[in-house]
Amino acid sequence: MDLLASLAAEERWLYPAFLAMYAAIYCVGQLLLFRRWAPRQRLDGASCLISLFHGTPAALAAAGAILALPAGARSFAAPNARLQDHVLDYSVAYFTMDLLHYLAFLPGDVLFIAHHLATLFVFLTCRYLVRHGAYALLVLLLLAEVTSLLQNVWTLAGIWRDQSPAAARVYGALSPPFYALYTLVRGVAGPLFLLKMAAFYLSGQAVDVIPWWVRISWIVVVGTAIAVSNLWIWNLWKELVREWKQAPSKSKKDT
């Protein structure tokens, strides 16, 4: 909490420092930690590394920034507090760095590029254009990143599961709890909060501080992101169930 208090008192623009930090972490991953990995694995590892430094800290910071507000200030139309702006800048710096990674090395990964551009649009309009509504976005950030640590470990294990039996075991052990938590957050909590957010913004209660096109775009972007996330996890569940069904037949063949 002392860290959040000092961050709330910080008047400097922290985005350049955050971006420099992510760039340094990325270079450490590419040039040192994962230098012996195959090219594609090295790219995925470096992206996961900066995600590890973003996800859980961002979720904790978002929760702290929300709890630091008086109950009356937790409104979809409330002006952004300084601490909220810093948390948004922390995430904007991460998505900027990861977007540069995809544009430079994986330009064909259109889905991730579109996701990062859309996320940056929402965060940047909230942070620098309307300067209101950070409460809603920080709740969504918390929901999005609460699964980040588990997801990144699962992803790294998945990168190596074909080459390492230990990684395959970790991947297999993490898949069910990760899928379950992700489904709970993205399939239940996220849509429920989006409905509440959409009802508020469509009612016109924020018309004086957030233009209609910003409110509508936020709803569309968040709704699309949730829909794509649920489609992704649904496909993973189907693959996992198929593997479970095939496991008994494989064991019989082995015997």
Side-chain angles (χ1 to χ4, degrees), residues 194-206:
L194 175 61
L195 287 175
K196 185 178 180 180
M197 171 181 157
F200 181 90
Y201 285 141
L202 294 177
S203 70
Q205 296 183 65

Side-chain angles (χ1 to χ4, degrees), residues 66-120:
I66 293 167
L67 294 174
L69 294 171
R74 297 172 194 170
S75 164
F76 293 112
N80 299 350
R82 183 184 298 159
L83 178 57
Q84 293 176 323
D85 282 344
H86 289 326
V87 177
L88 288 175
D89 278 340
Y90 187 77
S91 286
V92 168
Y94 160 72
F95 282 107
T96 302
M97 188 65 229
D98 208 38
L99 177 62
L100 292 173
H101 157 79
Y102 278 98
L103 291 175
F105 300 110
L106 302 167
D109 206 332
V110 178
L111 185 61
F112 268 97
I113 291 173
H115 170 269
H116 285 17
L117 287 172
T119 302
L120 283 170

Side-chain angles (χ1 to χ4, degrees), residues 8-233:
E10 180 58 66
E11 297 182 357
R12 290 176 298 175
W13 185 42
L14 297 180
Y15 170 78
F18 291 147
L19 184 60
M21 179 196 75
Y22 283 119
I25 294 169
Y26 183 85
C27 289
V28 167
Q30 280 272 34
L31 302 177
L32 295 175
L33 293 180
F34 311 128
R35 68 183 186 279
R36 298 183 185 277
W37 292 16
R40 179 55 197 258
Q41 292 174 331
R42 187 167 66 248
L43 291 174
D44 291 341
S47 180
C48 276
L49 184 63
I50 60 171
S51 182
L52 280 167
F53 278 85
H54 169 254
T56 301
L60 293 173
I66 293 167
L67 294 174
L69 294 171
R74 297 172 194 170
S75 164
F76 293 112
N80 299 350
R82 183 184 298 159
L83 178 57
Q84 293 176 323
D85 282 344
H86 289 326
V87 177
L88 288 175
D89 278 340
Y90 187 77
S91 286
V92 168
Y94 160 72
F95 282 107
T96 302
M97 188 65 229
D98 208 38
L99 177 62
L100 292 173
H101 157 79
Y102 278 98
L103 291 175
F105 300 110
L106 302 167
D109 206 332
V110 178
L111 185 61
F112 268 97
I113 291 173
H115 170 269
H116 285 17
L117 287 172
T119 302
L120 283 170
F121 167 80
V122 172
F123 282 175
L124 289 172
T125 51
C126 175
R127 169 68 174 92
Y128 296 103
L129 181 64
V130 299
R131 297 182 178 275
H132 288 73
Y135 164 73
L137 300 193
L138 291 184
V139 172
L140 291 168
L141 177 63
L142 172 60
L143 292 174
E145 299 300 343
V146 72
T147 59
S148 177
L149 178 60
L150 195 56
Q151 182 173 351
N152 280 297
V153 175
W154 171 84
T155 300
L156 288 170
I159 291 173
W160 283 101
R161 63 175 171 160
D162 291 334
Q163 290 83 24
S164 168
R169 288 193 295 270
V170 171
Y171 182 86
L174 289 182
S175 291
F178 166 56
Y179 296 176
L181 179 61
Y182 194 95
T183 301
L184 180 64
V185 172
R186 302 294 182 101
V188 180
L192 288 175
F193 186 79
L194 175 61
L195 287 175
K196 185 178 180 180
M197 171 181 157
F200 181 90
Y201 285 141
L202 294 177
S203 70
Q205 296 183 65
V207 66
D208 294 332
V209 292
I210 304 177
W212 69 267
W213 65 270
V214 174
R215 285 177 279 134
I216 296 299
S217 63
W218 287 1
I219 294 169
V220 171
V221 168
V222 173
T224 302
I226 289 175
V228 172
S229 295
N230 279 285
L231 178 62
W232 179 71
I233 199 65

